Amino acid sequence: MKEDLSKTIEGSFHIVGGDFIRAGEASTALKKQLIDLGIEEETIRKVSIATFEAEMNIIIYATAGIIRYTITPEEITIIAEDMGPGIEDIELAMQEGYSTAPDWVREMGWGAGMGLPNMKKNSDIFRIESVVGEGTTVEMVIRRKKDDHSRNSREA
Amino acid sequence: MTIAEIAERLNLTPVTGEEYLHREVSDGYVSDLLSDVMANAKKDCIWITLQTHENTVAVAVLKEIAAVVIVNGRKPSDVTIEKATEQKVPILLTSRTAFEIAGMLYQLLHAEEIQS
Amino acid sequence: MTVGEIKEALNATVVHMSVPEHSEILCACATDLMSEVLYYTRNNSVLITGLTKQQAIRTAHIADIRVVVFTRGKEPDAQTLELSKEKGITLLITPYSMFTACGILYEKGLRCCPE
């Protein structure tokens, strides 16, 4: 059970819009890093899901984007910033089941209007800012719950 | 078994096409991919899905599907309801999951088969 | 139900087995939409899906799902197979439709994952 978390760890991933072949690779890489750091299972699950949804949104809607992460002993922050069409009505976009995704995205198993609700559900702090025609930035903070160490013993 | 009987047994709430619930149901089909339903769903089946999009109505009409059951407490949009009403497609709602509704409907249809 | 029992009940072909057959599966999720998987599933659950693509394996990996069943006998492409091995996801293929697969497993007592 190694915890090399005395200092802040930072990193980022560049995401290319429309790249369905590599979709999920950034989140998978982040998940692996969190497992290697020995972070508790429930926190990893939340961060992985929230990041995966953010990554998919960039791939589906934007031209390009960047996902930055900061890991501290207390919390994990994910900032996903994209160059995309922006969101006209954020309140509407936050509703479960609301989506503007085209049919081909639906046929890939995405675009059913659960992405943003899923990000919010898994975050302790969730912020979203969007400018139509410019892009969207989502900031998610997941606080660590260190009493759960169940992953360390069984996940590789 | 008719749509009405199934709706009663599984506690489904009809939102459109209530006048067509006497239709006989042949089978069930679970899918959230329209292309898959287009390719594989059989006539007179109940289509179990999470999709609330208006295009589901067109698929249901083309494939002569008996009724669409939308699961997980999802609500169809106004456009979907409008199109379903116009196209005489019964839509029924439930808060249960696709797995559960499929499991329960399978048992209902199966029990009927054994009896007859 | 155990992974082995699910395999038997669904008359499934094993594409890749990464857990012992006696591993217990607590609940099931049947969908083709990946956000739904991320929203509802728990550890030790089985994902039954008609989305026989890499995305299903990636989603299973992110959501800590160890067992995925592809329906209607759809063979995955080489990349999907490779990814399931790489991520340690058990991958089964059933000849049954999603409806029948759910019906059979429900009859055997498996239930859906709680919200």
Side-chain angles (χ1 to χ4, degrees):
Chain A
M1 218 189 288
K2 59 180 162 69
E3 288 255 349
D4 182 23
L5 279 168
S6 47
K7 39 186 190 290
T8 299
I9 299 164
E10 286 179 316
S12 65
F13 302 100
H14 289 271
I15 314 292
V16 179
D19 187 3
F20 261 90
I21 301 297
R22 295 183 57 200
E25 283 188 1
S27 319
T28 306
L30 178 59
K31 178 174 182 173
K32 187 176 181 303
Q33 188 173 357
L34 297 178
I35 292 170
D36 291 345
L37 284 167
I39 291 188
E40 53 297 334
E41 182 170 3
E42 191 52 32
T43 309
I44 294 181
R45 191 182 148 78
K46 285 178 170 178
V47 172
S48 302
I49 291 174
T51 310
F52 193 22
E53 290 284 11
E55 184 178 358
M56 289 314 302
N57 269 1
I58 296 171
I59 286 163
I60 293 167
Y61 297 103
T63 312
I66 186 161
I67 295 178
R68 294 188 181 83
Y69 61 88
T70 310
I71 305 164
T72 73
E74 287 77 36
E75 61 192 26
I76 295 162
T77 305
I78 308 291
I79 298 174
E81 190 180 349
D82 73 41
M83 287 182 285
I87 302 169
E88 248 169 65
D89 186 338
I90 289 178
E91 204 182 319
L92 194 58
M94 291 303 301
Q95 279 179 21
E96 291 186 7
Y98 178 84
S99 175
T100 57
D103 281 347
W104 70 268
V105 168
R106 279 174 224 273
E107 294 304 305
M108 301 288 286
W110 297 93
M114 292 299 277
L116 289 173
N118 228 351
M119 290 182 225
K120 192 176 178 195
K121 182 191 175 193
N122 285 289
S123 306
D124 293 296
I125 299 171
F126 178 86
R127 290 193 197 99
I128 179 164
E129 275 172 31
S130 189
V131 179
V132 174
E134 286 184 20
T136 303
T137 302
V138 174
E139 182 182 356
M140 300 174 286
V141 179
I142 290 104
R143 293 205 183 92
R144 296 188 54 196
K145 291 178 187 67
K146 292 179 205 170
D147 38 47
D148 173 16
H149 283 287
S150 51
R151 170 174 296 272
N152 299 314
S153 54
R154 59 179 188 84
E155 180 86 0
Chain B
M1 192 170 280
T2 64
I3 305 167
E5 285 172 86
I6 291 166
E8 200 200 321
R9 300 283 283 279
L10 303 187
N11 204 9
L12 310 173
T13 313
V15 283
T16 63
E18 278 180 76
E19 57 273 47
Y20 309 106
L21 299 186
H22 59 273
R23 285 180 192 163
E24 281 287 325
V25 172
S26 63
D27 201 355
Y29 200 79
V30 186
S31 180
D32 305 314
L33 306 175
L34 303 192
S35 55
D36 175 55
V37 179
M38 282 302 287
N40 301 311
K42 292 197 195 80
K43 188 175 179 278
D44 299 326
C45 72
I46 282 199
W47 173 19
I48 300 161
T49 188
L50 289 161
Q51 293 282 17
T52 55
H53 197 264
E54 64 211 58
N55 291 355
T56 53
V57 177
V59 172
V61 172
L62 285 166
K63 296 298 287 188
E64 297 177 59
I65 280 162
V68 180
V69 175
I70 299 177
V71 297
N72 283 18
R74 294 287 189 84
K75 303 266 187 298
S77 67
D78 291 345
V79 183
T80 305
I81 290 178
E82 202 178 292
K83 290 209 170 164
T85 308
E86 204 179 284
Q87 302 285 337
K88 304 171 180 157
V89 174
I91 296 181
L92 301 101
L93 309 182
T94 177
S95 57
R96 294 180 191 274
T97 63
F99 181 80
E100 243 185 325
I101 287 295
M104 292 161 85
L105 179 60
Y106 181 86
Q107 284 192 325
L108 272 185
L109 295 174
H110 226 63
E112 197 184 43
E113 241 171 59
I114 292 160
Q115 268 175 20
S116 55
Chain C
M1 285 182 91
T2 66
V3 175
E5 285 165 350
I6 290 174
K7 187 189 89 181
E8 291 289 314
L10 296 182
N11 201 6
T13 315
V14 178
V15 178
H16 178 65
M17 185 68 85
S18 60
V19 291
E21 288 209 9
H22 58 77
S23 308
E24 197 65 35
I25 298 297
L26 300 177
C27 58
C29 176
T31 185
D32 301 322
L33 299 179
M34 298 301 105
S35 291
E36 213 65 27
V37 178
L38 298 172
Y39 201 86
Y40 286 102
T41 50
R42 297 287 177 275
N43 298 346
N44 300 324
S45 60
V46 57
L47 167 64
I48 305 159
T49 187
L51 189 82
T52 57
K53 296 184 164 87
Q54 285 184 63
Q55 285 300 305
I57 305 298
R58 288 222 187 264
T59 305
H61 174 69
I62 292 286
D64 290 331
I65 294 169
R66 302 296 177 80
V67 182
V68 176
V69 178
F70 284 172
T71 56
R72 297 188 51 86
K74 277 183 255 177
E75 291 277 345
D77 57 29
Q79 292 94 323
T80 306
L81 172 60
E82 202 47 50
L83 194 66
S84 76
K85 281 186 189 159
E86 188 190 315
K87 300 301 174 199
I89 307 285
T90 293
L91 180 56
L92 308 176
I93 303 178
T94 177
Y96 301 129
S97 70
M98 184 128 80
F99 178 73
T100 305
C102 293
I104 290 169
L105 297 181
Y106 188 86
E107 212 158 45
K108 301 255 180 210
L110 194 67
R111 290 296 175 261
C112 62
C113 301
E115 194 172 337

